Amino acid sequence: MSTLTSPRTETPPAAPGLTAAGREARRTKFLHWVAVHSLAIAAALFFVLPFVFVFLTALMSDQQALTRDLWPDAFHWENLRTVWETPGFLTWWKNTLLYAGLGTALTLLSSIPVAYALARFKFRGRNVALMLVISTMMLPPQVIIVPMYLFWAKELHLSGTLWPLIIPMAFTDAFSIFLLRQFLLTIPKDYVDAAKVDGCGDFRALGRIILPMAKPAIAAVALFQFFYCWNDYFGPQIYASENAAAWTLSYGLESFKGAHHTNWNLTMAATLLVMAPVIILFFFAQKAFIEGVTLTGVKG
Protein backbone atom coordinates (compact mmCIF):
# COMPACT_ATOMS: atom_id res chain seq x y z
CA MET A 1 0.00 0.00 0.00
CA SER A 2 1.57 3.18 -1.09
CA THR A 3 1.56 6.20 1.18
CA LEU A 4 1.41 9.69 -0.13
CA THR A 5 4.04 11.96 1.33
CA SER A 6 3.56 15.65 1.19
CA PRO A 7 6.52 17.61 -0.09
CA ARG A 8 8.59 19.29 2.67
CA THR A 9 8.33 23.03 2.66
CA GLU A 10 11.61 24.83 3.27
CA THR A 11 12.12 28.46 4.12
CA PRO A 12 13.77 30.06 1.15
CA PRO A 13 17.16 31.54 2.04
CA ALA A 14 17.52 35.29 2.26
CA ALA A 15 18.40 36.75 -1.05
CA PRO A 16 22.01 37.87 -1.00
CA GLY A 17 21.03 40.94 -2.97
CA LEU A 18 19.13 42.35 0.00
CA THR A 19 22.20 42.16 2.26
CA ALA A 20 24.38 43.77 -0.36
CA ALA A 21 21.75 46.45 -0.92
CA GLY A 22 21.63 47.13 2.82
CA ARG A 23 25.40 47.45 3.00
CA GLU A 24 25.37 49.76 0.01
CA ALA A 25 22.65 51.90 1.61
CA ARG A 26 24.61 52.17 4.84
CA ARG A 27 27.76 53.03 2.92
CA THR A 28 25.93 55.70 0.94
CA LYS A 29 24.43 57.13 4.11
CA PHE A 30 27.85 57.24 5.76
CA LEU A 31 29.46 58.95 2.78
CA HIS A 32 26.61 61.46 2.70
CA TRP A 33 27.14 62.19 6.40
CA VAL A 34 30.88 62.67 5.84
CA ALA A 35 30.23 65.01 2.91
CA VAL A 36 27.75 67.11 4.88
CA HIS A 37 30.02 67.33 7.93
CA SER A 38 33.34 67.49 6.09
CA LEU A 39 34.12 71.02 7.24
CA ALA A 40 33.33 70.18 10.87
CA ILE A 41 35.44 66.99 10.66
CA ALA A 42 38.37 68.96 9.23
CA ALA A 43 38.09 71.55 11.99
CA ALA A 44 37.87 68.81 14.65
CA LEU A 45 40.98 67.11 13.30
CA PHE A 46 42.78 70.46 13.17
CA PHE A 47 42.21 70.93 16.91
CA VAL A 48 42.52 67.30 18.05
CA LEU A 49 45.63 66.18 16.18
CA PRO A 50 48.04 68.43 18.17
CA PHE A 51 46.78 66.87 21.42
CA VAL A 52 47.17 63.39 19.92
CA PHE A 53 50.73 64.29 18.89
CA VAL A 54 51.56 65.51 22.41
CA PHE A 55 50.04 62.38 23.97
CA LEU A 56 51.88 59.94 21.71
CA THR A 57 55.20 61.78 21.97
CA ALA A 58 54.90 61.84 25.77
CA LEU A 59 54.80 58.03 25.79
CA MET A 60 57.75 57.51 23.44
CA SER A 61 61.32 56.75 24.33
CA ASP A 62 63.91 59.50 24.15
CA GLN A 63 65.40 57.97 20.99
CA GLN A 64 62.06 57.74 19.17
CA ALA A 65 60.68 61.18 20.05
CA LEU A 66 60.44 63.59 17.11
CA THR A 67 61.36 60.93 14.57
CA ARG A 68 59.33 59.75 11.58
CA ASP A 69 57.65 57.15 13.78
CA LEU A 70 54.35 58.63 14.87
CA TRP A 71 53.29 55.63 16.96
CA PRO A 72 55.31 54.57 20.02
CA ASP A 73 57.17 51.28 19.70
CA ALA A 74 56.37 50.76 23.38
CA PHE A 75 54.30 52.91 25.69
CA HIS A 76 56.62 54.42 28.30
CA TRP A 77 54.17 55.40 31.03
CA GLU A 78 57.13 55.93 33.35
CA ASN A 79 57.73 59.26 31.58
CA LEU A 80 54.73 60.70 33.42
CA ARG A 81 56.06 59.44 36.73
CA THR A 82 59.50 60.87 35.98
CA VAL A 83 57.99 64.29 35.36
CA TRP A 84 55.77 64.08 38.43
CA GLU A 85 58.76 63.23 40.63
CA THR A 86 60.83 66.11 39.25
CA PRO A 87 61.84 68.42 42.15
CA GLY A 88 59.46 71.35 42.30
CA PHE A 89 56.76 69.95 40.01
CA LEU A 90 54.39 69.08 42.87
CA THR A 91 54.97 72.54 44.34
CA TRP A 92 54.02 74.12 41.02
CA TRP A 93 50.83 72.07 41.07
CA LYS A 94 49.92 73.21 44.58
CA ASN A 95 50.63 76.85 43.75
CA THR A 96 48.54 76.69 40.58
CA LEU A 97 45.62 75.08 42.41
CA LEU A 98 45.83 77.78 45.10
CA TYR A 99 45.99 80.55 42.53
CA ALA A 100 43.21 79.19 40.31
CA GLY A 101 40.91 77.95 43.08
CA LEU A 102 41.14 80.92 45.42
CA GLY A 103 41.14 83.40 42.56
CA THR A 104 37.98 81.88 41.07
CA ALA A 105 36.19 81.88 44.43
CA LEU A 106 37.09 85.52 45.13
CA THR A 107 36.03 86.57 41.64
CA LEU A 108 32.61 84.98 42.04
CA LEU A 109 32.06 86.39 45.53
CA SER A 110 32.91 89.90 44.42
CA SER A 111 31.32 89.90 40.96
CA ILE A 112 27.89 88.41 41.69
CA PRO A 113 26.62 91.25 43.97
CA VAL A 114 27.88 93.93 41.57
CA ALA A 115 26.30 92.20 38.55
CA TYR A 116 23.02 91.83 40.46
CA ALA A 117 23.01 95.51 41.38
CA LEU A 118 23.69 96.60 37.80
CA ALA A 119 20.98 94.26 36.49
CA ARG A 120 18.18 94.85 39.02
CA PHE A 121 18.66 98.10 40.92
CA LYS A 122 17.61 101.35 39.31
CA PHE A 123 19.79 104.26 40.37
CA ARG A 124 21.18 107.37 38.79
CA GLY A 125 24.35 106.69 36.85
CA ARG A 126 23.78 102.95 36.45
CA ASN A 127 24.53 103.01 32.73
CA VAL A 128 27.59 105.16 33.32
CA ALA A 129 28.85 102.71 35.93
CA LEU A 130 28.32 99.84 33.49
CA MET A 131 30.23 101.68 30.78
CA LEU A 132 33.11 102.33 33.17
CA VAL A 133 33.23 98.65 34.08
CA ILE A 134 33.27 97.64 30.42
CA SER A 135 35.90 100.26 29.56
CA THR A 136 38.35 98.68 32.00
CA MET A 137 38.33 95.57 29.81
CA MET A 138 39.96 97.64 27.05
CA LEU A 139 42.98 98.49 29.23
CA PRO A 140 45.83 95.96 28.78
CA PRO A 141 47.44 94.85 32.06
CA GLN A 142 50.87 95.72 30.65
CA VAL A 143 49.96 99.40 30.76
CA ILE A 144 49.72 99.52 34.56
CA ILE A 145 52.17 96.74 35.44
CA VAL A 146 55.01 99.08 36.49
CA PRO A 147 53.10 101.12 39.12
CA MET A 148 51.28 97.98 40.30
CA TYR A 149 54.55 96.11 40.75
CA LEU A 150 56.07 99.01 42.66
CA PHE A 151 53.01 99.11 44.92
CA TRP A 152 53.04 95.39 45.72
CA ALA A 153 56.82 95.09 45.96
CA LYS A 154 57.87 98.35 47.62
CA GLU A 155 54.84 99.22 49.71
CA LEU A 156 53.44 95.81 50.72
CA HIS A 157 56.60 93.72 50.24
CA LEU A 158 54.70 90.87 48.56
CA SER A 159 57.00 90.28 45.61
CA GLY A 160 58.02 86.65 45.23
CA THR A 161 54.49 85.48 46.11
CA LEU A 162 51.22 84.95 44.29
CA TRP A 163 49.23 87.28 46.55
CA PRO A 164 49.59 90.30 44.20
CA LEU A 165 47.66 88.18 41.68
CA ILE A 166 45.08 86.70 44.07
CA ILE A 167 44.13 89.70 46.22
CA PRO A 168 42.94 91.95 43.33
CA MET A 169 40.38 89.29 42.38
CA ALA A 170 38.52 90.12 45.59
CA PHE A 171 37.67 93.48 43.99
CA THR A 172 35.65 92.04 41.08
CA ASP A 173 36.49 91.41 37.45
CA ALA A 174 35.00 93.45 34.63
CA PHE A 175 34.40 90.56 32.24
CA SER A 176 32.77 88.45 34.98
CA ILE A 177 30.50 91.33 35.97
CA PHE A 178 29.42 91.91 32.39
CA LEU A 179 28.75 88.23 31.69
CA LEU A 180 26.76 87.72 34.90
CA ARG A 181 24.82 90.94 34.45
CA GLN A 182 23.73 89.97 30.93
CA PHE A 183 22.50 86.61 32.17
CA LEU A 184 20.66 88.08 35.16
CA LEU A 185 18.73 90.33 32.80
CA THR A 186 17.19 87.23 31.22
CA ILE A 187 15.65 86.12 34.54
CA PRO A 188 12.09 87.50 34.85
CA LYS A 189 11.72 90.16 37.51
CA ASP A 190 8.48 88.56 38.69
CA TYR A 191 10.43 85.94 40.63
CA VAL A 192 12.16 88.58 42.72
CA ASP A 193 8.96 90.57 43.19
CA ALA A 194 7.15 87.45 44.41
CA ALA A 195 9.97 86.72 46.85
CA LYS A 196 9.82 90.27 48.21
CA VAL A 197 6.06 89.95 48.72
CA ASP A 198 6.80 86.89 50.85
CA GLY A 199 9.18 88.95 52.97
CA CYS A 200 12.56 88.33 51.31
CA GLY A 201 15.06 91.14 51.16
CA ASP A 202 17.38 91.80 48.25
CA PHE A 203 20.24 89.67 49.56
CA ARG A 204 17.92 86.82 50.53
CA ALA A 205 16.23 86.93 47.13
CA LEU A 206 19.67 86.88 45.52
CA GLY A 207 20.73 83.83 47.49
CA ARG A 208 17.50 81.82 47.32
CA ILE A 209 15.99 82.81 43.97
CA ILE A 210 18.56 84.31 41.63
CA LEU A 211 21.66 82.21 42.30
CA PRO A 212 19.98 78.81 41.73
CA MET A 213 18.58 80.09 38.43
CA ALA A 214 21.93 81.60 37.41
CA LYS A 215 23.98 78.41 37.83
CA PRO A 216 24.88 78.17 34.10
CA ALA A 217 26.26 81.72 34.05
CA ILE A 218 28.10 81.20 37.34
CA ALA A 219 29.62 77.99 35.98
CA ALA A 220 30.71 79.78 32.80
CA VAL A 221 32.32 82.62 34.75
CA ALA A 222 34.01 80.17 37.12
CA LEU A 223 35.46 78.18 34.22
CA PHE A 224 36.65 81.28 32.39
CA GLN A 225 38.40 82.53 35.52
CA PHE A 226 39.84 79.13 36.43
CA PHE A 227 41.24 78.64 32.92
CA TYR A 228 42.72 82.14 32.97
CA CYS A 229 44.48 81.57 36.29
CA TRP A 230 45.63 78.08 35.34
CA ASN A 231 47.21 79.28 32.09
CA ASP A 232 48.46 82.64 33.34
CA TYR A 233 52.14 83.10 32.53
CA PHE A 234 52.56 86.86 32.55
CA GLY A 235 51.50 87.44 36.17
CA PRO A 236 53.67 84.74 37.81
CA GLN A 237 56.59 85.81 35.67
CA ILE A 238 56.34 89.37 37.00
CA TYR A 239 55.62 88.72 40.68
CA ALA A 240 56.88 85.20 41.47
CA SER A 241 59.88 84.65 39.19
CA GLU A 242 62.39 85.48 41.94
CA ASN A 243 61.05 82.76 44.24
CA ALA A 244 61.00 79.21 42.82
CA ALA A 245 58.76 78.08 45.68
CA ALA A 246 55.97 80.34 44.32
CA TRP A 247 56.13 79.27 40.69
CA THR A 248 53.02 78.02 38.93
CA LEU A 249 52.77 75.29 36.31
CA SER A 250 52.77 77.69 33.38
CA TYR A 251 55.99 79.37 34.52
CA GLY A 252 57.58 76.20 35.86
CA LEU A 253 56.93 74.43 32.56
CA GLU A 254 59.16 76.95 30.82
CA SER A 255 61.93 76.17 33.31
CA PHE A 256 61.37 72.44 32.85
CA LYS A 257 61.58 72.83 29.08
CA GLY A 258 64.87 74.70 29.39
CA ALA A 259 66.34 71.95 31.58
CA HIS A 260 65.10 69.12 29.32
CA HIS A 261 65.25 70.78 25.91
CA THR A 262 66.74 67.63 24.38
CA ASN A 263 64.29 65.24 26.06
CA TRP A 264 61.19 65.99 24.04
CA ASN A 265 59.32 62.99 25.42
CA LEU A 266 59.65 64.37 28.96
CA THR A 267 58.76 67.87 27.80
CA MET A 268 55.59 66.54 26.15
CA ALA A 269 54.80 64.49 29.25
CA ALA A 270 55.04 67.63 31.40
CA THR A 271 52.84 69.49 28.92
CA LEU A 272 50.30 66.66 29.07
CA LEU A 273 50.17 66.79 32.88
CA VAL A 274 49.60 70.55 32.73
CA MET A 275 46.80 70.30 30.14
CA ALA A 276 45.01 67.24 31.51
CA PRO A 277 43.16 68.88 34.46
CA VAL A 278 41.80 71.68 32.28
CA ILE A 279 40.61 69.28 29.57
CA ILE A 280 38.97 66.94 32.10
CA LEU A 281 37.28 69.84 33.89
CA PHE A 282 35.89 71.20 30.64
CA PHE A 283 34.47 67.85 29.58
CA PHE A 284 32.65 67.46 32.89
CA ALA A 285 31.33 71.03 32.93
CA GLN A 286 30.86 71.72 29.23
CA LYS A 287 27.06 71.48 29.36
CA ALA A 288 26.73 74.21 32.00
CA PHE A 289 29.50 76.21 30.33
CA ILE A 290 27.88 76.20 26.88
CA GLU A 291 24.44 76.91 28.33
CA GLY A 292 25.76 79.85 30.32
CA VAL A 293 27.51 81.37 27.32
CA THR A 294 24.67 80.86 24.83
CA LEU A 295 21.99 82.24 27.13
CA THR A 296 24.02 85.33 27.99
CA GLY A 297 23.25 88.46 26.05
CA VAL A 298 19.71 87.57 25.05
CA LYS A 299 18.49 90.74 26.68
CA GLY A 300 20.35 94.00 26.79
Side-chain angles (χ1 to χ4, degrees):
M1 183 176 180
S2 62
T3 58
L4 297 177
T5 58
S6 59
R8 186 174 56 182
T9 58
E10 296 181 356
T11 304
L18 294 177
T19 304
R23 287 198 299 266
E24 184 65 23
R26 286 195 296 268
R27 181 173 176 271
T28 303
K29 185 178 181 181
F30 174 75
L31 293 177
H32 177 73
W33 182 89
V34 171
V36 171
H37 299 87
S38 58
L39 186 59
I41 294 174
L45 291 176
F46 179 79
F47 286 103
V48 170
L49 287 179
F51 294 99
V52 175
F53 174 78
V54 170
F55 177 77
L56 294 178
T57 307
L59 301 180
M60 291 181 179
S61 63
D62 187 31
Q63 292 76 19
Q64 188 185 4
L66 297 187
T67 62
R68 293 183 178 181
D69 298 331
L70 300 179
W71 191 264
D73 296 333
F75 288 89
H76 296 270
W77 297 99
E78 65 273 10
N79 292 343
L80 301 177
R81 184 178 60 193
T82 301
V83 173
W84 185 262
E85 294 175 352
T86 300
F89 194 84
L90 186 58
T91 302
W92 304 341
W93 255 80
K94 293 178 180 178
N95 293 336
T96 306
L97 285 176
L98 174 67
Y99 177 28
L102 192 56
T104 301
L106 291 175
T107 299
L108 290 177
L109 289 175
S110 58
S111 300
I112 291 175
V114 178
Y116 180 70
L118 291 175
R120 293 302 179 192
F121 295 165
K122 293 184 179 180
F123 55 90
R124 181 177 297 179
R126 184 179 68 169
N127 293 332
V128 176
L130 178 62
M131 293 302 298
L132 288 176
V133 170
I134 296 176
S135 64
T136 60
M137 297 168 55
M138 305 177 186
L139 188 66
Q142 292 81 2
V143 174
I144 60 173
I145 192 60
V146 173
M148 291 300 297
Y149 178 81
L150 294 176
F151 172 76
W152 291 107
K154 302 300 182 182
E155 300 297 330
L156 300 182
H157 306 286
L158 289 177
S159 60
T161 68
L162 293 174
W163 293 112
L165 301 174
I166 297 175
I167 294 177
M169 296 183 188
F171 299 94
T172 74
D173 173 70
F175 176 74
S176 301
I177 292 173
F178 176 75
L179 194 65
L180 287 169
R181 184 251 181 190
Q182 294 302 108
F183 187 90
L184 293 179
L185 288 175
T186 65
I187 299 177
K189 190 179 178 182
D190 297 339
Y191 290 104
V192 179
D193 294 338
K196 290 183 177 180
V197 171
D198 291 337
C200 288
D202 289 316
F203 285 100
R204 192 175 177 184
L206 173 63
R208 296 202 169 203
I209 306 298
I210 300 300
L211 292 186
M213 301 179 68
K215 284 182 180 180
I218 295 175
V221 170
L223 286 175
F224 272 125
Q225 192 64 27
F226 187 89
F227 293 162
Y228 167 78
C229 296
W230 189 273
N231 298 319
D232 186 19
Y233 177 83
F234 179 74
Q237 181 188 31
I238 296 297
Y239 293 105
S241 59
E242 61 190 70
N243 181 15
W247 287 1
T248 59
L249 282 172
S250 57
Y251 189 75
L253 183 62
E254 181 66 24
S255 174
F256 184 91
K257 178 182 176 183
H260 300 82
H261 62 279
T262 58
N263 306 110
W264 282 101
N265 57 335
L266 296 181
T267 301
M268 294 299 179
T271 304
L272 184 64
L273 290 176
V274 173
M275 295 190 306
V278 177
I279 296 175
I280 294 173
L281 179 62
F282 178 77
F283 272 108
F284 277 103
Q286 61 176 326
K287 182 178 179 180
F289 177 77
I290 295 174
E291 183 180 357
V293 173
T294 54
L295 293 180
T296 300
V298 176
K299 187 177 181 180

